[in-house]
Amino acid sequence: MSDVLLDFAEDFYATSVVASSGVTASQASAGQGRVLRVEVASGGGPGSVTLKAPEGGWDLSDRLYVAVDLRNAGPEETMVHLEVNSQGADAWSNRNEVMTVVPAGESKTVKALIVRLPLGDDSALGRYFAGPTGVIGGDYSSGMLGLPGGFTWHWYRIDPSQVTQVVVSVPFAKGGEAIEIARVLSMGRYDPPTEKELESGFAPFVDGFGQYRHREWPGKVHSVEDLVRAREAEEADLAAHPGPKEWNQYGGWAGGPQLEATGRFRAAKHGGKWWLVDPEGRLFWSHGPDCISLDWASTRIKGREHYFAELPEEGSPLSECYSTRDGERYGYSFAGANLRRKHGKEWRTISIDRIHERLRSWGMNTVANWPSPEVYLRRRTPYAVDIHYESRSIEGTKKLPDPFDDGFREAVRASIAQRHESADDPWCIGYFVDNELGWGQDIEAAPLVAKAPPDQPAKQELVRELREKYGTIAALNAAWGTGHGSWETLLECREGPDAQKAHDDLAAFYEGMAEEYFRVCREEVKAASPEGLYLGCRMHQINPRAARVAARYCDVLSINCYRYDVRTMPLPEGLDVPVIIGEWHFGALDRGPLHPGLRNVPDQCERAVLYKSYLRSALSHPLVVGAHWFQYGDQATTGRDDGENCQVGFIDVCDTPYGETVEACREVGYAMCEYRLGGS
């Protein structure tokens, strides 16, 4: 299903085509027709052409994708970025986007998924999934982020009834690129269940294997016999692909250079690029998935029993896959149930062995963050350990611990102690402490400290530092333009200071607070495991100030880089430290769960294309020493507790690998160290 929005064989749309600086756009002959030819001038730099809706806007409310038919008419493979904008959406988030690779001389239909504004009270779909089981109002912490028919929650969203323009760009242009655009189209149907369907016949919408019932796709399981056939097919595939021949036991490059062997993992520069070095002194580039366990697709059933067509009776073999909370049955692991069906009574042992076989066969050498101890303590694949704890946060921040609180160090220490088996383990790469903390933009967290309650330890430290610097409250008042009667009234004050006048003091405090956080974390990691690597806190929105401080304390700086290409990762200028990518992924709506994740692609074939492209961009980056895919298995159709229900796994809920992604992983992973050392 598609409609043509712009057809350059018919019209040039002179008032609709706007080329950026250094780019020419003209109508040209191609084959049997005409196209819009977009050329990037020599000298390089990003180039784009904006294609505006001729009558001000397109109403694409019932469509799933905006697409562009194009051809790479240049001499080299080119990355193409497609962005869609609208009226009526938040200015900062008003875009849907996708990126792809187009080989020289080839044509491609580039498709950007339409991600919509949050559902409202007038939506039958919103009402059905509202409250604690839905996404009405766009509440990220509830229900399901992807809903039947194509609704997906994301902070980048548009109003599909007012689509104003499409932007086609060449983000990494060197000069001389040429793209021929034939048409702009709307494709696919946004087709959520109607109110009548929701009231009768829609539920249950999840089958006994944990799959969405109202759609078919290649590889969907319909019986236990299907599971057995999939197991047998994979066993043959693993036997045919045992893994890279030049890897040692750790997945290091045994056929490459020999460096100093210390018996533990370490970071070192070699050939002008940062690497990890394995315990035997071999170059090691960390490549593997997060969240490896036997329970990757658990979901809440309490209050949602009607969603599910088949749940096991109490006392039956599959009832061991139920979980409880506060003494009541709460959740169910469809993944665990399917593993039991697939492998029988010894399913746990067989499944753990299969995980390690898979990783090596797929060209992966790391059990990455959030692994299950029963998996990583087999000591067959190097692993990273996650450290999480409970301590007081800075009031008003999103997940930022108060490092001046006496309980902070104690909490970090206690959490590390729980992972004591890893302390002297040569298979342990190191420790991630926390995940995606709320460092904010610039010094955003510091003014929140300034107006925190007086018992906030960070605020007490801020007042102490100001008192040490200024001596008298009058001197502070003169600098900040305030009228505090004493240091005690400053401590009691719940209003923030003038941001401009207090900026330098708050900036200094912000960096000191970050330093205290990273110093304590490093000290506690090294106290427990002197040779274990401190891998940082997995930054998501990179704050340059916090990142520079982190770089002084972390053995490896960790960044969750949800982008289409690592070249767009916003590292602070001049940084020269090893960096590990803690999370990245691509997902699609053509199979399995109802949400494509944070970076979407149209289908599994395109997912494989982007997997190879992203991984090669990471391997080419001189600072990056590894990239960890989020995550090992698809999330449950009905979501984990925060609503994420994304098709982002290497395997689906039935433990069946996505063949296209596996082959892409092998194609790059088997020779990743050679590729990196070769300077590609």
Side-chain angles (χ1 to χ4, degrees):
M1 179 180 182
S2 64
D3 290 321
V4 177
L5 305 178
L6 297 174
D7 188 344
F8 291 100
E10 301 294 332
D11 195 339
F12 176 57
Y13 306 99
T15 60
S16 297
V17 178
V18 181
S20 66
S21 176
V23 173
T24 59
S26 59
Q27 199 169 34
S29 297
Q32 302 299 313
R34 293 181 298 175
V35 295
L36 178 68
R37 185 176 176 89
V38 180
E39 297 179 303
V40 181
S42 60
S48 67
V49 60
T50 299
L51 309 175
K52 297 181 177 292
E55 297 180 5
W58 294 297
D59 184 355
L60 306 182
S61 301
D62 61 348
R63 294 294 184 265
L64 203 55
Y65 296 94
V66 176
V68 176
D69 284 341
L70 54 78
R71 174 177 174 271
N72 179 4
E76 297 181 1
E77 177 181 277
T78 298
M79 291 209 74
V80 175
H81 179 267
L82 175 61
E83 179 175 319
V84 182
N85 307 120
S86 76
Q87 295 177 353
D90 296 335
W92 73 272
S93 62
N94 176 24
R95 70 177 188 268
N96 294 164
E97 62 180 346
V98 74
M99 196 179 287
T100 190
V101 179
V102 187
E106 292 194 11
S107 299
K108 198 168 200 175
T109 299
V110 185
K111 298 164 64 176
L113 178 68
I114 296 175
V115 181
R116 292 150 211 277
L117 299 175
L119 299 172
D121 292 327
D122 59 344
S123 162
L125 192 67
R127 290 194 301 274
Y128 187 89
F129 290 99
T133 62
V135 294
I136 195 165
D139 182 359
Y140 184 75
S141 63
S142 62
M144 295 162 55
L145 300 189
L147 300 180
F151 176 86
T152 56
W153 187 100
H154 199 287
W155 50 81
Y156 294 144
R157 59 246 191 163
I158 65 172
D159 181 349
S161 70
Q162 304 180 72
V163 175
T164 56
Q165 63 184 30
V166 173
V167 183
V168 180
S169 62
V170 182
F172 308 115
K174 302 173 184 176
E177 290 82 4
I179 301 295
E180 294 177 347
I181 300 174
R183 299 184 301 173
V184 177
L185 312 100
S186 62
M187 301 185 73
R189 185 181 176 193
Y190 176 62
D191 190 26
T194 65
E195 186 169 10
K196 183 177 180 180
E197 289 169 337
L198 289 169
E199 291 173 351
S200 176
F202 176 72
F205 61 89
V206 178
D207 69 18
F209 297 99
Q211 305 165 117
Y212 182 56
R213 289 182 63 212
H214 301 305
R215 181 163 55 91
E216 292 296 315
W217 58 82
K220 188 175 183 181
V221 167
H222 297 90
S223 66
V224 174
E225 289 73 25
D226 285 348
L227 286 173
V228 173
R229 281 190 288 269
R231 183 195 70 203
E232 293 170 347
E234 187 186 10
E235 287 170 351
D237 176 73
L238 293 173
H241 301 91
K245 295 179 180 179
E246 291 201 345
W247 282 11
N248 64 12
Q249 63 173 332
Y250 295 106
W253 186 20
Q258 176 67 60
L259 281 65
E260 179 186 1
T262 65
R264 294 298 300 269
F265 281 91
R266 61 188 177 90
K269 254 191 174 179
H270 180 82
K273 295 179 179 178
W274 282 101
W275 293 80
L276 295 178
V277 181
D278 76 14
E280 296 178 354
R282 295 298 186 176
L283 294 177
F284 181 95
W285 202 85
S286 184
H287 178 211
D290 294 316
C291 305
I292 299 181
S293 74
L294 306 185
D295 190 23
W296 67 88
S298 290
T299 192
R300 177 170 61 84
I301 59 171
K302 182 181 178 181
R304 307 195 298 181
E305 289 84 357
H306 61 291
Y307 284 9
F308 307 101
E310 182 182 334
L311 291 170
E313 294 182 4
E314 198 66 49
S316 66
L318 294 184
S319 67
E320 67 177 310
C321 298
Y322 284 120
S323 60
T324 60
R325 187 173 295 184
D326 299 326
E328 296 182 319
R329 181 187 291 177
Y330 179 82
Y332 184 67
S333 173
F334 283 100
N338 290 331
L339 289 175
R340 200 183 196 292
R341 290 171 170 131
K342 194 173 185 178
H343 298 300
K345 291 182 179 180
E346 300 300 316
W347 67 275
R348 300 195 77 88
T349 299
I350 294 170
S351 298
I352 292 170
D353 287 340
R354 178 58 47 85
I355 286 169
H356 291 286
E357 288 180 67
R358 282 171 169 171
L359 294 180
R360 198 168 184 93
S361 172
W362 295 348
M364 291 178 151
N365 59 8
T366 304
V367 174
N369 206 41
W370 298 295
S372 168
E374 66 178 331
V375 174
Y376 70 73
L377 289 177
R378 288 288 185 92
R379 296 179 172 89
R380 291 176 55 181
T381 307
Y383 63 90
V385 176
D386 59 301
I387 302 300
H388 296 279
Y389 53 90
E390 294 291 332
S391 72
R392 183 169 181 175
S393 294
I394 304 294
E395 184 171 301
T397 65
K398 179 188 177 184
K399 203 168 64 172
L400 186 62
D402 186 337
F404 299 104
D405 187 277
D406 290 340
F408 170 65
R409 182 186 289 272
E410 295 171 6
V412 174
R413 179 182 300 162
S415 181
I416 296 174
Q418 293 174 7
R419 303 302 184 95
H420 60 89
E421 304 99 330
S422 63
D424 299 315
D425 189 355
W427 292 89
C428 178
I429 297 171
Y431 301 83
F432 294 105
V433 182
D434 288 313
N435 181 64
E436 297 184 352
L437 295 180
W439 293 108
Q441 302 297 317
D442 192 32
I443 62 169
E444 186 178 308
L448 295 173
V449 172
K451 62 181 182 180
D455 67 341
Q456 181 88 58
K459 185 170 187 180
Q460 294 169 3
E461 175 63 18
L462 172 62
V463 173
R464 187 196 67 77
E465 292 179 14
L466 293 172
R467 189 168 190 167
E468 184 177 274
K469 175 180 178 179
Y470 287 99
T472 67
I473 194 67
L476 174 76
N477 286 334
W480 281 23
T482 50
H484 299 295
S486 66
W487 293 109
E488 288 69 28
T489 57
L490 172 62
L491 184 63
E492 295 285 342
C493 182
R494 300 302 306 275
E495 295 182 4
D498 181 280
Q500 185 173 355
K501 293 178 180 178
H503 180 274
D504 291 349
D505 289 329
L506 293 179
F509 177 78
Y510 178 92
E511 293 181 15
M513 182 170 65
E515 186 143 350
E516 180 73 1
Y517 167 82
F518 288 108
R519 181 182 64 81
V520 170
C521 289
R522 179 180 179 84
E523 288 176 356
E524 292 306 319
V525 166
K526 296 300 181 180
S529 178
E531 302 303 321
L533 297 179
Y534 172 36
L535 304 174
C537 65
R538 306 168 63 83
M539 293 181 171
H540 180 35
Q541 293 180 327
I542 300 174
N543 182 304
R545 292 178 186 271
R548 290 187 186 281
V549 174
R552 298 201 295 268
Y553 289 92
C554 299
D555 295 306
V556 180
L557 182 66
S558 53
I559 294 172
N560 294 350
C561 185
Y562 284 106
R563 293 172 178 256
Y564 285 99
D565 192 283
V566 174
R567 285 172 286 185
T568 65
M569 181 168 58
L571 291 173
E573 187 175 352
L575 196 71
D576 185 16
V577 296
V579 172
I580 198 162
I581 294 170
E583 296 180 25
W584 64 290
H585 66 216
F586 305 108
L589 293 178
D590 62 331
R591 298 182 205 167
L594 303 171
H595 196 292
L598 295 181
R599 292 296 173 187
N600 70 78
V601 292
D603 53 43
Q604 300 306 311
C605 290
E606 191 64 15
R607 190 181 190 222
V609 168
L610 266 294
Y611 192 99
K612 292 185 288 187
S613 175
Y614 185 103
L615 196 59
R616 286 173 177 147
S617 74
L619 287 163
S620 298
H621 197 294
L623 304 185
V624 176
V625 299
H628 297 164
W629 175 272
F630 187 87
Q631 57 180 33
Y632 177 64
D634 280 346
Q635 295 169 328
T637 302
T638 46
R640 63 185 198 185
D641 275 359
D642 66 358
E644 287 190 16
N645 59 338
C646 304
Q647 191 273 316
V648 293
F650 262 75
I651 56 175
D652 64 18
V653 68
C654 293
D655 191 49
T656 304
Y658 288 100
E660 299 90 341
T661 305
V662 168
E663 288 307 311
C665 186
R666 285 172 173 156
E667 184 176 328
V668 181
Y670 273 41
M672 60 187 176
C673 288
E674 295 95 319
Y675 186 92
R676 180 168 178 77
L677 191 63
S680 299

